[in-house]
Amino acid sequence: MSTGLDHNSWEQRSMQAVLPAFSDSVTLKSRGPLVLDHGEGIYVVDVHGKRYLDANSGLWNSVAGFNHPVLIEAGCRQFRRFPSYHSFFGRMSDVTIELCERLIAISPFESGRVFLTNSGSEANDTAVKMLWLLATHQSQPQRRKILTRINAYHGVTVAAASMTAKPYNTAFGLPLSDFIHVDCPHYWRYGTPDESEEAYSQRLAERLERVILAEDPSTIAGFFAEPVLGAGGVIPPPTGYFPAIQQVLRRYNIPLIADEVICGLGRTGVLWGSKRFDLDPDIIVASKCITAGYFPMGAVIVKAAVADALDAAIDEQEEFAHGFTSAGHPVGCAIALSAIDLIMTGGLLQNIQALSGQFEAGLAAFASNPHVGEVRTAGWMGALEIVADKETGEPFPAKFRVSEKIANTALDLGLICRPLGQAIVICPPFIMTAEEMHTMFSMLTDTLERVLHPLGELTSG
Ligand SMILES: *Cc1c(COP(=O)(O)O)cnc(C)c1O
């Protein structure tokens, strides 16, 4: 691929050798990828020595920054002790058990069991297979349909991509049948002018019930939801949403699966998004923060009643014919135990709580910008919805590539923040200090000034 990049550069070598994930090809061709050498706290440093404040915690996950000595030591210690084992055939490492015990202890469930995976996508696929196994075992083979919300992100494997209700999945011929997408609970965009948030939530619950009845309740295996839509652009639920939705689900005995891959372990300012937004799930899927990004890991945490039902189904089959070779990896489990300690008792969760006022105020300050349509926050996840017209909420025309422009200008200034549709997402590492947060917001102010000011003049002129 010709890019005008120096032939021997890392950037050009990357273009030659790597098929990149979710990367804008126009940006790649004009600028090349950002090739990193190492990290220092909340900063990453590229191969040319330039430093970037990573306001997105890597991909939401590097919550302890990029060189935390405690996590590195936990991994190294376990590498020396027992560097590899699987969890099949009734074998597993001792730390695997410790981690599962720990996840249950900190989960909202009084008791339960854990199935480990290598990623959030695998964890969601696993939860789907659990529901399908239960349906078969309970002589309800027709109970296969999975409900998720438009704009939800649940991952990229075939089932998880079918659950991810984003337009790009149609290019893969997805979703598979049996995956049904219901309303996205975004009040700012879809609420009617005369409707309160509560009334909007109630309307969505009624619409959900209509879908369930139209599909036939006995064919529905489960409803998956992120407490706060993450990759959908940080959309916290409108007031009363989950209680209203869950009342409908209970009426038809439909399990609720909370996809806590982003919210889990502190992101929303409490340990679980389910606690903050009134979800009472049957199964919790976690991943991104479990190892603070220092090892691939996902987890399906099922409450005791679900575990008991699974036991019965598994007894009939004589095994749960499901598992990933490297899941429950001893090094990942050792790092996870250490990361959970850091978050819960090592000051990370406390730091989020202490600075969440500053975070909210920092984002709220952008509300007066003529091109910020909505400011959304939940703990340390936030988004600015960029609009061409504040009155109508009209976005900039796609050809302006406004979110890519913002992300690229930010990079030039030494800030990593992510465009999601026309929203800018900010979700910093949990170790960020008050001073670093101040720096982050002033870099963001600078970025928006440089991009939006000239664009605004273009559209109004
Ligand atoms: C990232 C994400 C996933 C997928 O996790 P991977 O580890 O990338 O497979 C699933 N659900 C949510 C809510 C996510 O944000």
Side-chain angles (χ1 to χ4, degrees), residues 39-70:
E40 296 162 4
I42 63 164
Y43 289 86
V44 287
V45 181
D46 74 11
V47 288
H48 310 289
K50 179 168 173 173
R51 258 159 61 101
Y52 304 84
L53 190 161
D54 193 330
N56 283 167
S57 307
L59 201 41
W60 305 91
N61 56 348
S62 302
V63 295
F66 301 95
N67 63 344
H68 203 292
V70 171

Side-chain angles (χ1 to χ4, degrees), residues 95-305:
V95 274
T96 308
I97 301 167
E98 259 187 272
L99 176 62
C100 293
E101 287 175 344
R102 197 75 209 286
L103 286 170
I104 296 159
I106 65 169
S107 80
F109 303 141
E110 264 175 38
S111 57
R113 308 255 286 281
V114 178
F115 190 92
L116 294 174
T117 69
N118 303 298
S119 70
S121 301
E122 290 175 0
N124 276 319
D125 275 45
T126 298
V128 169
K129 284 179 76 178
M130 286 174 170
L131 296 169
W132 287 349
L133 178 67
L134 287 176
T136 311
H137 172 70
Q138 291 159 359
S139 304
Q140 298 184 308
Q142 82 290 352
R143 194 183 279 284
R144 294 189 63 82
K145 291 177 188 162
I146 302 292
L147 301 178
T148 61
R149 284 102 40 89
I150 291 166
N151 216 9
Y153 186 85
H154 296 290
V156 297
T157 48
V158 175
S162 294
M163 293 158 65
T164 294
K166 298 259 197 190
Y168 53 68
N169 277 322
T170 57
F172 302 103
L174 294 173
L176 298 178
S177 58
D178 291 335
F179 290 84
I180 294 159
H181 303 153
V182 301
D183 295 311
C184 170
H186 191 179
Y187 176 68
W188 175 77
R189 196 178 286 283
Y190 305 115
T192 58
D194 54 349
E195 191 175 42
S196 69
E197 280 195 38
E198 289 86 345
Y200 174 65
S201 294
Q202 205 52 52
R203 177 159 66 91
L204 293 195
E206 282 157 20
R207 284 169 56 89
L208 173 66
E209 182 159 25
R210 281 208 289 282
V211 171
I212 291 170
L213 290 172
E215 294 290 339
D216 176 357
S218 76
T219 64
I220 296 174
F223 180 97
F224 284 69
E226 303 158 81
V228 178
L229 288 158
V234 181
I235 301 169
T239 313
Y241 174 78
F242 278 111
I245 292 291
Q246 226 171 334
Q247 206 175 11
V248 174
L249 297 177
R250 286 213 185 92
R251 197 170 297 146
Y252 301 101
N253 289 318
I254 298 170
L256 172 66
I257 299 86
D259 183 342
E260 292 259 12
V261 170
I262 285 175
C263 296
L265 295 176
R267 178 57 74 186
T268 68
V270 295
L271 207 53
W272 300 100
S274 291
K275 281 283 169 207
R276 169 134 188 218
F277 294 105
D278 294 327
L279 287 78
D280 178 19
D282 300 286
I283 299 177
I284 284 177
V285 169
S287 175
K288 288 194 167 89
C289 303
I290 299 181
T291 58
Y294 284 37
F295 207 89
M297 166 98 56
V300 184
I301 311 171
V302 303
K303 70 177 188 188

Side-chain angles (χ1 to χ4, degrees), residues 408-441:
N408 292 335
T409 304
L411 268 190
D412 293 340
L413 294 174
L415 175 71
I416 293 177
C417 66
R418 179 172 176 217
L420 263 172
Q422 299 230 341
I424 307 299
V425 166
I426 302 290
C427 49
F430 299 173
I431 57 166
M432 178 175 266
T433 63
E435 201 185 330
E436 288 168 338
M437 193 176 279
H438 181 77
T439 306
M440 173 180 80
F441 282 128

